[in-house]
Amino acid sequence: MTADALPAAPVEVAARRPPLDYYLVLRRRDDPTSIESVEGIVVEEFTRHRDFTTTGLDSAGWTPEVGWWSSAALSRGMRTDPEVLARVVPSSRPEAETVYRRLGAGRLPDEAVLRTYFLDHQPMPSAPPLRLGPAQPPAGFHERRVYRVLFAKDLHAEQVASLRAAWRTPVDGTGTSVASGRLDRGGDRFTWDLRRVGHTPAWCLDLTVLLRTAAAEAVYPVLSALTNALRKHGLIPVTTERFS
């Protein structure tokens, strides 16, 4: 995979916060996504350690009848309750703006205002990085990191095929990975693999980072772009862990 196959770096980590994640909540499970089928909107943001692993989750929901409200239980249900999972669809901000306007609420508040609705923070357990793979990076690199992003929901065969095409996964790929990719950027190397987790409708993305440069901030734009690509294909991110 070449650098131009990934989106441009979505955020300068030190300069501003990354954009929020948006979801549409359908009235019934497996409804087609249309304005008439949408019951509400959920807006979320992960909080992170300096190494970009997850420390917690903030969220706010909106329905025309109630307005804005905050509930950590809703975000947990979006990731653990099959009935809720079946009614939640990842969305973009423009899609959420259209739904918000057509449901009679006018202009969707900007993200600084939406963050003021985050009143029920959900902390997530954290631990020092585990060791997965060799401790020392290969020659020419000064640091090796391995991240794992866990996702809820499932992927259809055509969605997997779309990811394989976008990431230029080799046709003769082996192992448990169903889609993989590679990117060399600024002397740093990124490789990743997408796998199903057990026999449940859940997935994980393993990202291995080999740093040649001194800027660890180079990690987050790629990690974020890959996570967002999987959101666009229907998955819901659960947490980001680090193994080295």
Side-chain angles (χ1 to χ4, degrees):
M1 181 174 185
T2 59
D4 57 3
L6 269 178
V11 58
E12 292 296 333
V13 175
R16 65 181 180 87
R17 298 169 77 170
L20 301 176
D21 293 336
Y22 296 83
Y23 298 89
L24 305 181
V25 182
L26 308 180
R27 296 184 183 279
R28 295 178 300 276
R29 59 180 296 153
D30 302 323
D31 263 356
T33 305
S34 65
I35 298 299
E36 293 74 20
S37 68
V38 176
E39 182 177 58
I41 298 169
V42 175
V43 183
E44 293 187 335
E45 181 175 48
F46 286 101
T47 55
R48 300 181 183 275
H49 288 292
R50 292 180 62 85
D51 67 352
F52 317 119
T53 55
T54 301
T55 63
L57 179 61
D58 288 308
S59 65
W62 175 85
T63 57
E65 299 79 12
V66 178
W68 287 99
W69 48 277
S70 183
S71 171
L74 174 61
S75 286
R76 287 194 297 271
M78 284 171 53
R79 292 158 172 83
T80 59
D81 186 329
E83 290 297 321
V84 177
L85 270 169
R87 295 173 53 213
V88 174
V89 180
S91 173
S92 65
R93 179 175 172 93
E95 290 171 335
E97 287 176 326
T98 298
V99 169
Y100 194 74
R101 183 176 62 253
R102 292 188 180 178
L103 290 179
R107 182 177 178 274
L108 183 68
D110 63 32
E111 298 200 335
V113 173
L114 291 175
R115 287 185 174 96
T116 68
Y117 304 144
F118 295 159
L119 303 177
D120 190 10
H121 180 71
Q122 177 184 332
M124 295 184 178
S126 59
L130 301 173
R131 180 63 58 190
L132 183 65
Q136 298 301 318
F141 299 93
H142 70 85
E143 186 178 358
R144 178 182 184 272
R145 296 186 181 188
V146 179
Y147 290 90
R148 173 167 290 176
V149 187
L150 298 175
F151 295 87
K153 293 194 73 120
D154 206 354
L155 290 171
H156 301 300
E158 62 271 19
Q159 293 169 315
V160 172
S162 173
L163 288 165
R164 288 177 61 88
W167 294 346
R168 301 182 184 176
T169 302
V171 176
D172 58 349
T174 59
T176 59
S177 173
V178 301
S180 61
R182 171 175 169 165
L183 173 69
D184 291 304
R185 176 178 281 172
D188 301 322
R189 180 170 299 164
F190 305 86
T191 56
W192 58 90
D193 295 278
L194 179 67
R195 297 180 175 88
R196 184 182 293 277
V197 178
H199 301 289
T200 63
W203 295 79
C204 72
L205 178 78
D206 288 338
L207 170 66
T208 299
V209 182
L210 298 176
L211 291 173
R212 191 187 304 272
T213 66
E217 288 77 10
V219 174
Y220 187 70
V222 176
L223 183 64
S224 177
L226 291 170
T227 301
N228 287 332
L230 290 168
R231 278 191 73 257
K232 290 178 181 178
H233 282 75
L235 296 183
I236 298 178
V238 176
T239 189
T240 301
E241 305 169 335
R242 184 176 165 192
F243 291 90
S244 67

